[in-house]
Amino acid sequence: LNISNNMRNGNFVNATDNTFLRLSATNSFINTLFTNTIGSATWTAGQTAVTDVVHATTAANVGADASLYALRLAASITGAAGSLPTITFASSDTNNLGGLLVSAAASVAGVNLKFGNTGTSNAYIYTGAALTLTGDILADSVTKFGASSLSIFKDQQNLNGITWYVNAGTLQLNTQYAAGQNANIILQGG
């Protein structure tokens, strides 16, 4: 099993606790430990590191680009006025990927989400609660899982021919190219 930054890949979650998982010393799954909890109303430059498993607990303005490994949202985040920041879900390779997990209804407004260092990795998005996105998604595929909805309100002009895997919940596309151009959407049940 791939373990990176003290957690299993972003597609392994505890649905009861709405959190990421790691392996214990006896190789059983337990909740991961967050390396950075952000409870401030503003995210600033340098507040996160590429290896951070971040828990965002308070609604906040994102004032600068941020790099992290995985993000658990318990509140909405918004791009600060006059900026269009990007959150990069950094990875050391294509096998060790974090992800985005939503534990309370939230929106990511005016913030771009880039999965992998170059935006060419799979995006793991777990919706333990409803999530609304109004920024760009940069990824080579998207895996949406979790019982709640993912609603996208922006054309994804950077996505061309990618595949969306919907394992559970609702994927709501609110613009003509919300899934990107020439997208494939595979409903995998759940």
Side-chain angles (χ1 to χ4, degrees):
L1 295 175
N2 292 321
I3 301 293
S4 187
N5 303 314
N6 198 33
M7 68 173 263
R8 184 64 176 94
N9 285 356
N11 60 330
F12 280 74
V13 300
N14 176 338
T16 301
D17 294 340
N18 286 320
T19 194
F20 296 109
L21 292 172
R22 64 186 172 107
L23 287 177
S24 71
T26 60
N27 287 326
S28 59
F29 287 111
I30 58 174
N31 292 343
T32 196
L33 302 173
F34 295 100
T35 57
N36 188 344
T37 298
I38 300 176
S40 59
T42 303
W43 290 21
T44 57
Q47 193 167 1
T48 62
V50 296
T51 57
D52 278 347
V53 178
V54 176
H55 183 199
T57 61
T58 303
N61 287 320
V62 179
D65 291 347
S67 291
L68 44 82
Y69 181 72
L71 174 61
R72 179 183 192 234
L73 279 181
S76 297
I77 57 174
T78 304
S83 69
L84 185 61
T86 297
I87 295 176
T88 299
F89 294 82
S91 60
S92 57
D93 57 57
T94 57
N95 294 318
N96 295 304
L97 305 170
L100 173 62
L101 182 147
V102 181
S103 63
S107 65
V108 177
V111 177
N112 297 327
L113 302 176
K114 181 168 68 170
F115 293 86
N117 300 332
T118 59
T120 56
S121 292
N122 184 56
Y124 292 121
I125 301 176
Y126 176 80
T127 54
L131 174 62
T132 300
L133 298 178
T134 64
D136 286 331
I137 300 169
L138 299 144
D140 71 355
S141 62
V142 178
T143 301
K144 185 262 178 253
F145 59 120
S148 290
S149 63
L150 169 60
S151 301
I152 301 174
F153 284 87
K154 183 179 185 302
D155 283 338
Q156 300 298 316
Q157 298 297 332
N158 295 310
L159 300 180
N160 188 11
I162 75 159
T163 301
W164 291 74
Y165 300 95
V166 181
N167 293 339
T170 302
L171 174 62
Q172 182 177 344
L173 305 171
N174 294 294
T175 65
Q176 182 176 358
Y177 295 110
Q181 297 182 38
N182 305 308
N184 299 304
I185 300 174
I186 298 174
L187 306 177
Q188 299 191 142

